[in-house]
C-alpha cells in the first residue's frame, strides 16, 4: 500500500513537472532554444495566483486563468525583447541571454516584493481525504491532477487541430519553407512562447496550492527538473515531455518513500546523466532532430 501511495504522490508531482517541461520542449522544437528563464515564468505564475487569491479574492480557477494570461504575455515579451534579436546569433550567445533573463526575473521579483516566502491560503480548495484500496488520496490532489491532464489535452488539441498548431508544426519542421508558404514565423514563435509560458503559469498556481510555500527563487529547482523531464522524454517531443514529467515525479516519490529524501533532488540529475549517456535522444526520440 505504501508503494501505491508513493505512486499517487509521484503522479501529482510529475504532472507539475510535465506542465513546465512542455514549455521547454515546445520552444526547443520550434527555435532550438533552451529557455532557462522558463522556471522563473513558473515562479511569476505562482505569485500572480497568490495575489489573485489573497488580494482580488478570486477562486482557484479564475486565479489559474489570470496567471496563465499574465505568464503568456510575459513569455511573448521575453521572446520579443531578449530572444528575437538573437535569432541568428550563436547558440552560446542565446544561452547566456537566457541565463541573464532568468536572473533578471528572479532578482527583479526580490526587488519588487522582497525575498520572504509567503503561504497560499489552505482553504482555497477543499481537502477531503478519500480512502481507496487502503490508500489515502486527497481531493485536492485529484483536482490538481485532473486540471493538469485537461491542460495537456488542450495543448494536444491546439497543436494538432488548430491553424496555429499546424503553423507551429510547419515551422518546427522547416522554418524557411514555412515562411515561403506564407506562414508568419515570428508570430508563430511568439505563440509558442505564449502557450508554453501559460502552462508554466498554471503549474505555478498548482504548485502553490499543493506545496503551500512560494518564494522568488522557487523556480530554479523545478525549472531544472522540468528540463530533465523534457530531455528524458525527448526534447522537442510534446508527448515525451508529458511522460518524462510523470516518470520523474514517480521516481522522486519512490526515492523519498524508500527513506532517501535527501536524494530526491539529486536523483533527477542522476537520471539526466544516465539518459544522456545511454539514450541522448530521450525515451520517445528516434534522433536528436526529432520534431514537435
Amino acid at each position: 500500500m505504501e508503494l501505491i501511495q508513493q505512486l499517487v504522490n509521484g503522479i501529482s508531482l510529475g504532472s507539475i513537472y510535465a506542465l513546465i517541461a512542455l514549455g521547454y520542449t515546445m520552444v526547443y522544437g520550434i527555435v532550438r532554444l533552451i529557455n532557462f528563464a522558463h522556471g522563473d515564468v513558473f515562479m511569476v505564475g505562482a505569485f500572480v495566483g497568490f495575489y489573485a487569491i489573497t488580494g482580488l479574492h478570486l477562486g482557484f480557477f479564475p486565479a489559474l486563468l489570470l496567471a496563465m494570461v499574465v505568464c503568456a504575455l510575459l513569455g511573448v515579451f521575453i521572446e520579443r525583447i531578449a530572444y528575437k534579436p538573437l535569432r541568428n546569433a550563436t547558440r552560446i550567445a542565446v544561452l547566456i541571454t537566457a541565463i541573464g533573463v532568468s536572473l533578471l526575473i528572479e532578482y527583479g521579483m526580490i526587488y519588487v516584493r522582497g525575498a520572504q516566502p509567503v503561504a497560499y491560503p489552505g482553504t482555497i480548495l477543499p481537502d477531503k481525504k478519500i480512502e481507496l484500496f487502503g490508500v489515502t488520496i486527497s481531493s485536492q490532489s485529484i483536482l490538481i491532477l485532473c486540471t493538469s491532464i485537461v491542460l495537456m489535452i488542450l495543448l494536444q488539441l491546439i497543436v494538432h487541430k488548430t491553424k496555429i498548431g499546424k503553423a507551429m508544426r510547419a515551422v518546427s519542421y522547416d522554418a524557411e519553407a514555412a515562411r515561403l508558404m506564407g506562414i508568419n514565423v515570428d508570430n508563430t514563435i511568439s505563440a509558442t512562447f505564449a502557450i508554453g509560458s501559460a502552462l508554466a503559469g498554471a503549474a505555478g498556481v498548482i504548485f502553490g496550492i499543493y506545496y503551500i510555500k512560494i518564494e522568488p527563487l522557487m523556480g530554479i529547482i523545478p525549472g531544472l527538473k522540468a528540463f530533465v523531464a523534457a530531455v528524458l522524454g525527448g526534447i522537442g517531443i510534446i508527448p515525451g515531455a508529458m511522460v518524462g514529467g510523470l516518470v520523474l515525479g514517480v521516481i522522486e516519490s519512490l526515492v523519498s518513500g524508500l527513506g532517501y529524501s535527501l536524494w530526491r533532488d539529486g536523483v533527477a540529475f542522476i537520471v539526466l546523466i544516465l539518459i544522456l549517456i545511454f539514450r541522448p535522444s530521450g525515451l520517445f526520440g528516434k534522433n536528436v532532430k526529432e520534431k514537435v
Side-chain angles (χ1 to χ4, degrees), residues 59-276:
F60 171 68
F61 288 109
L64 185 78
L65 291 174
L66 179 61
M68 291 177 70
V69 170
V70 171
C71 288
L73 295 174
L74 177 61
V76 173
F77 180 77
I78 290 171
E79 189 274 328
R80 288 295 172 101
I81 298 299
Y83 299 142
K84 186 178 178 182
L86 300 175
R87 195 70 52 79
N88 297 316
T90 60
R91 294 284 181 91
I92 191 67
V94 179
L95 178 63
I96 292 170
T97 300
I99 295 171
V101 172
S102 172
L103 293 171
L104 178 63
I105 295 173
E106 289 169 10
Y107 289 96
M109 180 65 79
I110 290 174
Y111 177 79
V112 169
R113 64 160 304 278
Q116 68 276 13
V118 292
Y120 261 68
T123 56
I124 188 64
L125 284 178
D127 192 15
K128 298 178 181 178
K129 302 299 180 183
I130 301 171
E131 290 285 340
L132 190 63
F133 303 115
V135 178
T136 303
I137 305 173
S138 70
S139 59
Q140 195 176 83
S141 296
I142 294 173
L143 181 58
I144 285 171
L145 179 59
C146 290
T147 302
S148 300
I149 291 172
V150 168
L151 290 172
M152 293 180 203
I153 292 172
L154 285 175
L155 174 63
Q156 285 290 80
L157 291 175
I158 289 170
V159 169
H160 292 285
K161 300 295 183 181
T162 66
K163 187 175 180 180
I164 189 63
K166 292 176 182 178
M168 286 163 57
R169 286 184 285 136
V171 173
S172 171
Y173 188 79
D174 191 325
E176 288 306 314
R179 197 186 303 274
L180 291 173
M181 294 300 293
I183 294 173
N184 190 321
V185 173
D186 289 336
N187 286 351
T188 302
I189 292 171
S190 293
T192 303
F193 271 83
I195 294 170
S197 298
L199 292 174
V205 178
I206 291 170
F207 183 94
I209 296 291
Y210 196 70
Y211 287 99
I212 309 299
K213 189 183 81 169
I214 62 171
E215 45 93 16
L217 300 181
M218 63 176 279
I220 298 173
I221 296 300
L224 289 174
K225 288 182 180 178
F227 171 67
V228 173
V231 173
L232 174 61
I235 188 112
I237 305 169
I238 287 176
M242 298 178 188
V243 173
L246 293 172
V247 169
L248 188 61
V250 169
I251 290 173
E252 280 194 22
S253 292
L254 291 176
V255 168
S256 296
L258 291 171
Y260 299 101
S261 57
L262 293 176
W263 281 89
R264 65 174 295 161
D265 288 338
V267 73
F269 302 103
I270 293 172
V271 169
L272 176 62
I273 293 168
L274 292 175
I275 201 74
L276 289 176

Side-chain angles (χ1 to χ4, degrees), residues 21-22 24-26 28-29 156 229-230 233-243 281-287 289-292:
L22 285 167
Y24 277 115
T25 210
M26 288 174 66
Y28 183 85
Q156 285 290 80
I235 188 112
I237 305 169
I238 287 176
M242 298 178 188
V243 173
S281 59
L283 298 176
F284 283 64
K286 295 181 180 178
N287 59 67
K289 293 185 178 179
E290 187 75 44
K291 307 297 181 182
V292 176

